[in-house]
């Protein structure tokens, strides 16, 4: 089902202690794993349901949904808010397109954090919706979580919820400006618990966005996308990662460069007819950690990419 490359085989051997760890070059990246059906998607996030099926949320009018029984065949499942989301239009200039949803399932309820903005502006907001079923039309509007304006040095889009082993809730977010931010949330409400805004990654105003926080072993991994999204086959998006022993950082790349100083270890970049892979999410599934992302085809259309994640002998992730 998955295409193995020489670098993936070497990395697996390294993980088993047989070879030193290696870093993949762009030409060695695997193609996305096989997916079928309705696979047009942008800024995906995916959760495994209690029934063992999969629910994906992605950028689109009123936030769009897809479902799959097997993580391979996908079908469209309607909008989160089929009746519209008028509380967002002050940030979208009237557009119905809502961006970069982050979906998770906790304590018997689905949580969906999503963004409202316009391209190139930091007049932006992150909202929360919840549902007990995840189905189109079942979601409640739980309101504003955080907003930004031209008075701020950050951009309140691209949210990701992470719950640490101590049960603390954290929201990472951000795009361009001064980079990726983190705020603490109240688990009872899903809203902010204090006024502190932490900086966890940045490129001095350069192109960084789409944070996603995971944990494996003793490390917290901060996944981000570098460079340019949303330009079809000309997109230069690429997936980067850093790690820390603490949930709030400091995060560093393989070379020890701080992510707040532009650091990041590349995990996946464009190759062949796969252009601008990015806006990644990580699904911890029963068979593997799974990287979920979008990429652009030669014709500029965005599609769902799925690859399995392995870890080398030093604990750095690679895709296969």
């Amino acid at each position: 089902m998955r295409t193995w490359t020489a670098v993936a085989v070497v990395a697996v051997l390294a993980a088993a202690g047989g070879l030193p760890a290696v870093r993949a070059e762009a030409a060695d990246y695997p193609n996305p794993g096989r997916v079928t059906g309705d696979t047009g998607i942008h800024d995906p996030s995916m959760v495994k349901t209690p029934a063992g099926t999969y629910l994906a949320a992605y950028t689109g009018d009123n936030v769009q949904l897809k479902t799959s029984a097997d993580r391979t065949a996908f079908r469209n499942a309607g909008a989160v808010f089929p009746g519209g989301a008028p509380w967002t239009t002050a940030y979208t200039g009237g557009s119905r397109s809502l961006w970069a949803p982050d979906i998770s399932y906790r304590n018997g309820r689905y949580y969906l954090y999503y963004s409202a903005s316009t391209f190139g502006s930091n007049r932006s907001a992150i909202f929360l919706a919840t549902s007990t079923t995840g189905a189109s039309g079942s979601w409640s509007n739980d309101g504003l979580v955080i907003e930004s304006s031209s008075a701020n040095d950050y951009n309140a889009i691209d949210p990701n919820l992470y719950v640490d082993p101590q049960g603390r809730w954290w929201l990472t977010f951000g795009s361009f400006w001064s980079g990726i931010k983190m705020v603490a949330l109240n688990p009872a409400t899903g809203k902010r618990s204090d006024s502190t805004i932490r900086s966890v990654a940045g490129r001095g105003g350069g192109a960084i966005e789409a944070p996603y926080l995971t944990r494996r072993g003793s490390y917290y991994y901060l996944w981000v996308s570098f460079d340019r999204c949303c330009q079809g086959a000309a997109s230069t998006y690429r997936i980067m990662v850093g790690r820390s022993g603490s949930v709030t950082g400091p995060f560093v790349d393989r070379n020890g460069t701080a992510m707040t100083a532009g650091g990041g270890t590349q995990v996946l970049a464009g190759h062949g007819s796969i252009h601008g892979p990015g806006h990644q999410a990580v699904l911890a599934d029963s068979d593997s950690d799974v990287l979920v992302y979008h990429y652009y085809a030669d014709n500029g259309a965005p599609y769902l990419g799925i690859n399995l994640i392995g870890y080398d002998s030093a604990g750095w992730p690679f895709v296969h």
Side-chain angles (χ1 to χ4, degrees), residues 77-135:
V80 167
F81 303 113
W87 56 90
T88 65
T89 55
Y91 302 91
T92 65
S95 171
R96 294 181 299 159
S97 181
L98 298 172
W99 299 351
D102 175 74
I103 191 168
S104 59
Y105 183 81
R106 307 178 190 282
N107 306 321
R109 182 173 293 270
Y110 293 92
Y111 287 80
L112 186 86
Y113 290 87
Y114 60 97
S115 320
S117 189
T118 56
F119 200 80
S121 169
N122 73 330
R123 170 63 169 144
S124 309
I126 293 168
F127 292 89
L128 172 63
T130 57
S131 168
T132 55
T133 68

Side-chain angles (χ1 to χ4, degrees), residues 102-185:
D102 175 74
I103 191 168
S104 59
Y105 183 81
R106 307 178 190 282
N107 306 321
R109 182 173 293 270
Y110 293 92
Y111 287 80
L112 186 86
Y113 290 87
Y114 60 97
S115 320
S117 189
T118 56
F119 200 80
S121 169
N122 73 330
R123 170 63 169 144
S124 309
I126 293 168
F127 292 89
L128 172 63
T130 57
S131 168
T132 55
T133 68
S136 172
S138 71
W139 295 83
S140 65
N141 167 28
D142 290 359
L144 180 70
V145 179
I146 189 170
E147 63 181 335
S148 59
S149 73
S150 59
N152 300 119
D153 69 348
Y154 57 87
N155 191 9
I157 66 170
D158 292 4
N160 168 242
L161 170 65
Y162 177 73
V163 179
D164 72 19
Q166 289 73 47
R168 298 175 299 180
W169 286 36
W170 305 95
L171 191 76
T172 51
F173 66 91
S175 171
F176 287 73
W177 274 264
S178 62
I180 305 304
K181 308 300 180 183
M182 173 184 282
V183 295
L185 302 178

Side-chain angles (χ1 to χ4, degrees), residues 10-57:
V10 170
V12 168
L13 290 172
L19 289 170
V22 296
R23 180 179 178 183
E25 298 300 329
D28 296 313
Y29 292 128
N31 285 331
R34 179 174 176 265
V35 291
T36 63
D38 297 314
T39 62
I41 207 164
H42 203 276
D43 307 330
S45 176
M46 192 180 299
V47 66
K48 193 169 188 178
T49 73
T53 61
Y54 300 86
L55 179 62

Side-chain angles (χ1 to χ4, degrees), residues 166-236:
Q166 289 73 47
R168 298 175 299 180
W169 286 36
W170 305 95
L171 191 76
T172 51
F173 66 91
S175 171
F176 287 73
W177 274 264
S178 62
I180 305 304
K181 308 300 180 183
M182 173 184 282
V183 295
L185 302 178
N186 180 343
T189 64
K191 305 289 189 64
R192 294 182 68 182
S193 60
D194 60 37
S195 60
T196 301
I197 299 179
R198 297 168 170 86
S199 294
V200 291
R203 300 180 76 193
I208 181 173
E209 56 190 11
Y212 203 94
L213 195 60
T214 63
R215 186 172 186 265
R216 183 179 184 272
S218 59
Y219 287 111
Y220 298 89
Y221 292 84
L222 179 62
W223 303 73
V224 296
S225 293
F226 276 11
D227 298 341
R228 293 285 179 168
C229 168
C230 312
Q231 297 180 8
S235 299
T236 56

